[in-house]
Amino acid sequence: KNILIVDSEHDTCELLESVLLAEGYQVRTAATSGDAMQAIKASAPDLLVLNLIMPDAHGFDLIEFVKSRKEIKSTPLVLITNQDLSEEDMNALNGQIQVTLNKGILSEQNLLEELKKTIKKM
């Protein structure tokens, strides 16, 4: 599986990348939604791990981009966020999100374990 991690927090990207590489996945990272869009155009991922809070755009913009491209619109998404999502936000995501992991609540180890469990289920 080819996984794209999109998070502006370098430490989070590095941590997730090292764990997923150790599990045998191919991993790419992007720090901005613009970088993520370029990475997606270059090679469509099998899974997108996304932090909704981005410096250059809201993560929903990247999700809309994914939904607009026929070759990747069914790509599963895993959200990693520090915020609780409103019902309106969840409706906007339109069922594409496999799981939302709150890194403000979960310990680093629990976050990694939940991510690994989610990927194995897919």
Side-chain angles (χ1 to χ4, degrees):
K1 288 239 178 215
N2 178 7
I3 300 173
L4 178 60
I5 301 169
V6 185
D7 197 324
S8 60
E9 296 176 13
H10 179 73
D11 291 345
T12 301
C13 273
E14 221 172 57
L15 177 67
L16 296 175
E17 181 180 26
S18 67
V19 168
L20 294 173
L21 285 171
E23 294 287 321
Y25 296 101
Q26 296 177 352
V27 181
R28 295 178 293 153
T29 63
T32 67
S33 59
D35 291 345
M37 289 177 194
Q38 290 301 323
I40 290 168
K41 288 176 185 176
S43 176
D46 298 313
L47 173 69
L48 186 62
V49 178
L50 168 67
N51 187 342
L52 281 180
I53 308 301
M54 302 297 293
D56 63 334
H58 200 280
F60 286 103
D61 297 334
L62 181 56
I63 292 169
E64 286 304 314
F65 171 80
V66 168
K67 288 171 25 178
S68 73
R69 299 187 61 92
K70 65 180 179 180
E71 70 275 11
I72 60 166
K73 70 180 182 181
S74 62
T75 299
L77 302 172
V78 173
L79 290 185
I80 297 179
T81 184
N82 281 329
Q83 66 186 29
D84 289 326
L85 298 176
S86 69
E87 188 174 330
E88 181 181 317
D89 288 342
M90 291 302 286
N91 289 337
L93 296 172
N94 203 20
Q96 245 180 309
I97 305 303
Q98 298 298 313
V99 69
T100 300
L101 303 174
N102 190 324
K103 63 182 175 180
I105 295 172
L106 294 171
S107 70
E108 188 176 278
Q109 189 60 39
N110 287 344
L111 177 70
L112 295 173
E113 289 303 317
E114 289 299 318
L115 180 59
K116 285 194 285 188
K117 277 195 261 183
T118 300
I119 292 170
K120 285 179 182 177
K121 285 180 193 174
M122 291 183 229

